[in-house]
């Protein structure tokens, strides 16, 4: 909450200082509905956050907000659409960690991932969680590592596809634990979860909201929250450090950006109004129920996160020899 309040104060102060120099287009913003583009199908964590935030920001913005799912190319279609959109603040891109993974893995993106967008804010974050099929004879991370080392190449971790957050999470675990765990890519989170429950694959590192319903129903066993602190929704599950892998900290985050060239006062207005929406008690309650924590940082802080995430996942992909076209 303190970060949201602090960022609100900064944004409001910046707006006051630049009011006299605001272009006419910025003075009239917003002049029509604001669209939040989600580069993935409806129903996933990214889509859920976008809909919660869009609804919450609609009041402060004073115009209707729309969520548009532009799917295809593992996110590339949606990212490209926003990169080409008019830089007037009426089209926002919903970003998450797959964007920063792709920035380091795909040399042929039809836009510059660093220069093609202006960051507005990182809206929420939540940890990843390592889950296994309950029939696996491992109830702790230490037991899992021992099992995998005794049976190299005989167990499988699933992912939602090459280069996804679930793929990178599995590779990070393999690297830190020094185990031989075979990667099985699927086309989306739903398919891998189905096979994990059925026992076709045994291990998955995924965002907490994605796995939470299956954990709560007993269909999956959580071994570790990939975070520095325990999750309020899974208080009995150890952190990465408590599980013996302090380097296995991996936050799933969702943020928003606009096309490059969007006027700074418009970016500041979007930041202020999204943060105002995040600060609403009902919004915070809905996010907490999903295991998500509001962040609401400044555009500069959101930009710094993007840069650090691109660097981190590029290094992990290079070490694991992961390549995408």
């Amino acid at each position: 909450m303190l970060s949201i309040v602090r960022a609100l104060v900064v944004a409001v102060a910046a707006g006051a200082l630049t009011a006299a120099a605001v272009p006419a287009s910025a003075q009239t913003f917003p002049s029509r509905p604001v669209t939040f583009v989600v580069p993935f199908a409806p129903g996933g964590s990214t889509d859920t956050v976008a809909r919660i935030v869009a609804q919450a920001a609609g009041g402060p913005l004073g115009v209707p907000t729309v969520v548009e799912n532009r799917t295809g190319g593992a996110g590339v279609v949606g990212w490209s659409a926003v990169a080409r959109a008019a830089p007037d603040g009426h089209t926002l891109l919903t970003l998450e960690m797959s964007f920063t993974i792709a920035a380091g893995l795909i040399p042929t993106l039809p836009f510059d991932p660093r220069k093609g967008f202006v960051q507005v804010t990182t809206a929420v974050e939540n940890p990843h969680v390592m889950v296994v099929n309950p029939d696996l004879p491992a109830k702790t991370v230490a037991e899992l590592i021992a099992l995998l080392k005794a049976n190299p190449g005989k167990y499988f971790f699933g992912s939602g596809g090459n280069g996804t957050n679930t793929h990178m999470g599995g590779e990070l675990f393999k690297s830190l634990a020094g185990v031989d765990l075979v990667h099985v890519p699927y086309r989306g989170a739903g398919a891998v979860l189905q096979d994990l429950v059925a026992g076709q694959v045994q291990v998955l590192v995924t965002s907490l909201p994605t796995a939470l319903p299956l954990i709560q129903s007993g269909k999956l066993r959580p071994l570790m929250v990939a975070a520095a602190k325990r999750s309020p929704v899974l208080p009995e599950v150890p952190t990465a450090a408590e599980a013996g892998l302090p380097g296995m900290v991996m936050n799933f985050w969702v943020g928003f950006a606009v096309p490059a060239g969007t006027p700074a006062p418009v970016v500041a207005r979007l930041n202020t109004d999204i943060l105002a929406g995040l600060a609403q008690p009902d919004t915070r309650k809905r996010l907490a129920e999903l295991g998500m924590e509001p962040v609401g940082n400044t555009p500069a802080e959101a930009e710094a996160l993007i840069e650090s995430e691109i660097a981190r996942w590029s290094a992990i992909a290079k070490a694991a020899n992961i390549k995408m076209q």
Side-chain angles (χ1 to χ4, degrees):
M1 185 66 179
L2 289 177
S3 62
I4 294 177
V5 173
R6 176 170 59 85
L8 274 170
V9 171
V10 171
V12 171
L17 290 173
T18 59
V22 175
S25 60
Q27 291 178 2
T28 59
F29 174 82
S31 59
R32 61 179 187 274
V34 172
T35 298
F36 289 71
V37 174
V38 177
F40 305 106
S45 296
T46 306
D47 179 73
T48 299
V49 171
R51 292 179 187 279
I52 292 174
V53 172
Q55 181 181 2
L61 283 168
V63 295
T65 54
V66 180
V67 173
E68 180 182 347
N69 297 90
R70 297 288 295 270
T71 64
V76 175
V77 170
W79 302 332
S80 301
V82 178
R84 296 191 303 266
D88 57 12
H90 290 92
T91 305
L92 287 87
L93 175 62
T94 308
L95 284 177
E96 39 73 66
M97 63 186 300
S98 67
F99 175 85
T100 57
I101 293 171
L105 288 183
I106 306 177
T108 57
L109 286 172
F111 55 85
D112 188 325
R114 288 182 169 87
K115 298 180 180 179
F117 303 95
V118 175
Q119 302 305 313
V120 175
T121 188
T122 309
V124 305
E125 67 178 9
N126 63 267
H128 278 66
V129 60
M130 171 177 282
V131 290
V132 298
N133 180 283
D135 292 333
L136 194 70
K139 295 185 178 180
T140 67
V141 172
E143 290 179 359
L144 175 63
I145 293 174
L147 177 68
L148 297 177
K149 287 187 173 181
N151 299 274
K154 294 184 179 180
Y155 289 96
F156 305 89
F157 84 89
S159 81
N162 289 319
T164 59
N165 63 307
T166 45
H167 182 193
M168 302 305 281
E171 294 293 347
L172 180 59
F173 170 69
K174 286 174 57 179
S175 174
L176 293 172
V179 295
D180 182 1
L181 187 61
V182 181
H183 174 223
V184 181
Y186 288 78
R187 292 187 176 182
V192 65
L193 285 170
Q194 183 177 352
D195 269 13
L196 182 64
V197 171
Q200 300 302 312
V201 292
Q202 293 77 40
V203 182
L204 174 66
V205 178
T206 189
S207 64
L208 178 55
T210 300
L212 188 58
L214 292 171
I215 293 172
Q216 292 172 331
S217 66
K219 294 181 179 179
L220 293 179
R221 176 190 296 149
L223 297 188
M224 168 179 61
V225 174
K229 61 181 181 180
R230 294 198 179 199
S231 169
V233 297
L234 293 175
E236 74 286 355
V237 179
T239 65
E242 291 170 338
L245 291 177
M248 192 70 197
V249 173
M250 186 176 172
N251 283 325
F252 180 84
W253 50 267
V254 178
F256 298 95
V258 288
T262 302
V266 171
V267 176
R269 170 69 188 277
L270 286 167
N271 179 272
T272 299
D273 291 350
I274 289 176
L275 267 57
L278 287 171
Q280 296 171 7
D282 181 63
T283 302
R284 296 178 66 81
K285 181 176 181 293
R286 292 175 66 189
L287 292 171
E289 290 172 347
L290 296 171
M292 298 180 180
E293 181 177 345
V295 177
N297 55 13
T298 66
E301 290 168 335
E303 179 66 32
L305 173 66
I306 295 293
E307 289 294 334
S308 66
E309 286 282 279
I310 290 176
R312 183 189 192 195
W313 297 120
S314 294
I316 292 173
K318 183 178 181 179
N321 196 30
I322 301 171
K323 297 179 181 180
M324 294 178 65
Q325 302 300 319

